[in-house]
Amino acid sequence: CSGVPDSSGRRLTTASATSERALAGSMAGEGDKPKETKAASKPRIDCIDGCRFALVLPIVIAHFARFSTNNERLLKILTQENVLVGGFFVISGYVAAYTSTKLGEKAADERKLARPELFFWQKVMGYYPLHFCSTLAFTPMFIWVERMYNTPWTTTAFRAFLSFSMMQAWFPKEAEIWNQPTWFLSALTFSNLTMPAILPRVAELSKVGLRKLFYALTAVSVLQKMSYSEAARFHQHNISTKRKQYPLIWNLTRFHPFWALIEMTMGIAACREVMLDTPEDKKQPRTDPAVWFVAAYSSLLLRLTGKLDYNDGIIRSCVFVPLYTKFLTSVHRDCVSDNPSAITKFFGSKTMTYLGGLAFPMFILHGIIGQIFYKKTIAQKLWGRPMPNAFFPCYLAICLGLSHLVNENFVKSKKVAQVAGQAAQKLAALTEGMLRDTIEAPPTVARRRRRAAPAAHRFPPAPARSCGPRQTHGKGRSFSRRAAPAAALRTAAGTAVFATPGLGPV
């Protein structure tokens, strides 16, 4: 779901980037030119893309698994999408850290985060176009279903607003409206909003600090799941189903954006620990990533046990997410090693990389496709009944086929990327200052700075030629209608500084 261009770097508020480079050259002597330190290059981790498909496929199956088989034991294993989705949040944080922080350094990438508003909107525009177009295309179907249930128009309008604005995850009663899986985008958007503040702070930590942060975040996540279990009196699945259920409490547990942020930050901490590996660390013997992969996915089999059949929240926080994060760090280290293991080569193969590219459109589209074939009110009108179990492989094939078409003709479209990039730029300009204070100061503060600045730092006098009629203001003071341009000034000591009208030296 990439394609939105990255930030072009730090935007100068006083001069162009060319002027800054020229100024830097004038400040240094001919034989004392500043040396540019080349950042360590980051190898592409293709196996992460393959890991996405290993997550999305069981989630696609889980949402409509009850239409695929009547085997109760198999259904227990297949219907654990609430466990698996935690891996997506971890991967999202992992990729954000890898692309926005420096390899081998305890620092974030200033180029990526120089304009935090643009960073945020570029992230959003990476997935919002497909969400918007798919929701818009099937809005008549969603409204049709609402009318069949005699839903008030005000409620329908409110649900439309939540869906298009991606805010449904904040409302436990409405989190699964219309295209149910897109609650993930709602929670992800809030997490992306906090990334410009979180990434630099986490990037400053040492490996010891990153481990402590990961353990602390895991403890917070487990504490929240235990809180839900106590409030709902639901610790295990093998309890009496006649007990009163609390779906809204469960929705707050699995959908709330704050808990998604916790897991995304865990992914950031895990990635940063790998990025700080020294040559000595890389020589240490490593466990095969297949061990952690099997261990993570084996946690789904706990549903078949009696005493360890805990609810999805506990399994997700206590077992799956920690083990899956360990798998990601292990496969990352193995991928950049001289002799990758078989599972790393498998997830990094062209086939798995291609399927990983289908993960995003498949995640967005499968809920809509499933409603067409399996949602009772729709399927009865279209096909006379929900499709039988034998049709389920066809449903999966349709999801794969449509995801391929959408990926090739929409997600990879340069035109879509261009429009999304332009929208990100405009939204960043409108929200500038929302995530980082700008250099501009109120007029009173600017005047105070100007009076306090030394005479050598003030603006040069107006040119001899007329810049327009001069006017008086107050007690004989005068000013020109045309403001002095921004200029690079040189003080008595020979140091060049930037000056901006109304602000003095910057």
Side-chain angles (χ1 to χ4, degrees):
C1 58
S2 59
V4 182
D6 289 335
S7 172
S8 58
R10 180 166 62 91
R11 182 176 65 87
L12 299 177
T13 56
T14 55
S16 65
T18 305
S19 301
E20 185 188 37
R21 288 192 294 267
L23 180 61
S26 67
M27 292 172 63
E30 188 66 27
D32 188 25
K33 292 184 179 181
K35 297 181 180 179
E36 294 183 0
T37 58
K38 187 177 180 180
S41 60
K42 299 176 184 176
R44 181 174 174 82
I45 313 297
D46 289 325
C47 54
I48 298 296
D49 290 333
C51 294
R52 295 179 190 273
F53 186 76
L55 282 173
V56 75
L57 181 60
I59 290 177
V60 170
I61 294 174
H63 283 148
F64 299 95
R66 65 189 183 91
F67 297 102
S68 65
T69 180
N70 296 323
N71 188 315
E72 292 186 4
R73 291 179 63 85
L74 187 58
L75 284 174
K76 283 185 175 183
I77 300 174
L78 295 178
T79 55
Q80 297 188 61
E81 66 276 13
N82 293 308
V83 175
L84 295 165
V85 74
F88 268 126
F89 287 116
V90 173
I91 284 185
S92 298
Y94 204 97
V95 173
Y98 191 71
T99 57
S100 303
T101 61
K102 294 183 178 180
L103 184 64
E105 301 180 40
K106 293 191 290 185
D109 190 340
E110 297 85 357
R111 296 182 303 105
K112 295 289 184 68
L113 300 174
R115 295 180 62 189
E117 296 84 9
L118 181 60
F119 177 86
F120 165 67
W121 287 115
Q122 284 176 337
K123 291 288 186 182
V124 173
M125 286 301 153
Y127 50 79
Y128 187 74
L130 180 55
H131 167 67
F132 174 82
C133 292
S134 60
T135 304
L136 184 64
F138 287 91
T139 291
M141 183 185 76
F142 298 141
I143 296 178
W144 174 43
V145 174
E146 299 274 13
R147 300 312 304 154
M148 290 170 59
Y149 284 101
N150 296 320
T151 305
W153 281 106
T154 53
T155 303
T156 301
F158 179 63
R159 290 174 175 174
F161 168 74
L162 292 180
S163 184
F164 281 102
S165 63
M166 296 189 299
M167 291 196 295
Q168 63 267 45
W170 294 96
F171 298 83
K173 285 185 63 177
E174 312 293 346
E176 292 187 294
I177 56 172
W178 291 15
N179 189 6
Q180 290 89 342
T182 56
W183 71 265
F184 173 86
L185 301 181
S186 176
L188 182 65
T189 300
F190 167 74
S191 299
N192 283 331
L193 181 65
T194 66
M195 287 299 104
I198 290 178
L199 284 168
R201 302 289 82 79
V202 178
E204 294 173 353
L205 299 178
S206 65
K207 299 189 73 169
V208 175
L210 290 168
R211 294 190 195 102
K212 292 180 179 179
L213 175 62
F214 184 86
Y215 296 148
L217 293 173
T218 301
V220 171
S221 181
V222 172
L223 181 64
Q224 190 263 340
K225 304 307 186 297
M226 293 299 298
S227 173
Y228 154 73
S229 302
E230 285 294 319
R233 298 298 179 188
F234 176 48
H235 299 81
Q236 294 177 295
H237 285 88
N238 57 1
I239 61 174
S240 174
T241 56
K242 295 182 180 180
R243 291 188 180 182
K244 184 179 179 180
Q245 300 297 307
Y246 300 88
L248 295 185
I249 300 178
W250 174 231
N251 286 352
L252 280 173
T253 299
R254 59 179 177 153
F255 294 144
H256 200 280
F258 180 77
W259 307 119
L261 174 61
I262 293 292
E263 291 177 335
M264 195 166 174
T265 309
M266 292 169 67
I268 295 173
C271 181
R272 286 298 305 163
E273 184 180 353
V274 179
M275 294 178 72
L276 292 179
D277 277 352
T278 62
E280 291 74 18
D281 293 330
K282 296 178 181 179
K283 295 178 181 179
Q284 298 295 325
R286 304 290 181 187
T287 305
D288 192 309
V291 175
W292 300 111
F293 180 82
V294 172
Y297 279 82
S298 295
S299 64
L300 305 180
L301 299 178
L302 295 177
R303 276 271 189 97
L304 301 179
T305 65
K307 296 182 179 180
L308 299 178
D309 183 18
Y310 291 101
N311 65 56
D312 290 354
I314 293 178
I315 296 298
R316 171 173 164 176
S317 294
C318 294
V319 186
F320 181 79
V321 167
L323 289 175
Y324 190 79
T325 306
K326 192 67 177 178
F327 162 68
L328 287 179
T329 58
S330 181
V331 78
H332 183 176
R333 289 187 171 104
D334 193 49
C335 183
V336 298
S337 66
D338 297 330
N339 187 24
S341 64
I343 191 171
T344 303
K345 293 179 181 179
F346 170 73
F347 279 119
S349 63
K350 290 184 178 180
T351 300
M352 290 305 298
T353 302
Y354 160 75
L355 292 175
L358 302 185
F360 171 61
M362 196 171 179
F363 188 85
I364 297 296
L365 298 176
H366 82 275
I368 298 174
I369 299 171
Q371 290 185 53
I372 293 175
F373 292 115
Y374 296 116
K375 192 176 181 68
K376 189 174 181 180
T377 52
I378 298 176
Q380 283 186 337
K381 293 288 185 180
L382 295 178
W383 324 109
R385 60 166 183 167
M387 288 297 177
N389 294 350
F391 181 79
F392 197 76
C394 298
Y395 157 71
L396 294 179
I398 292 172
C399 288
L400 279 171
L402 287 180
S403 297
H404 168 76
L405 294 176
V406 170
N407 189 55
E408 295 296 325
N409 299 290
F410 188 90
V411 176
K412 292 182 178 180
S413 170
K414 294 182 178 180
K415 181 63 177 179
V416 174
Q418 181 182 6
V419 173
Q422 292 173 351
Q425 292 281 353
K426 292 180 180 179
L427 290 169
L430 289 173
T431 56
E432 187 175 10
M434 177 180 69
L435 299 178
R436 178 178 295 175
D437 196 13
T438 59
I439 196 172
E440 296 182 292
T444 55
V445 177
R447 286 195 296 269
R448 192 181 306 120
R449 288 179 181 175
R450 189 165 57 248
R451 287 196 300 267
H457 287 189
R458 294 179 183 169
F459 301 111
R465 62 185 182 86
S466 174
C467 291
R470 301 184 66 83
Q471 301 175 359
T472 59
H473 178 72
K475 300 180 180 179
R477 290 179 293 177
S478 63
F479 63 93
S480 172
R481 181 176 295 175
R482 183 176 299 175
L489 304 181
R490 191 170 296 276
T491 65
T495 304
V497 296
F498 277 120
T500 307
L503 287 181
V506 178

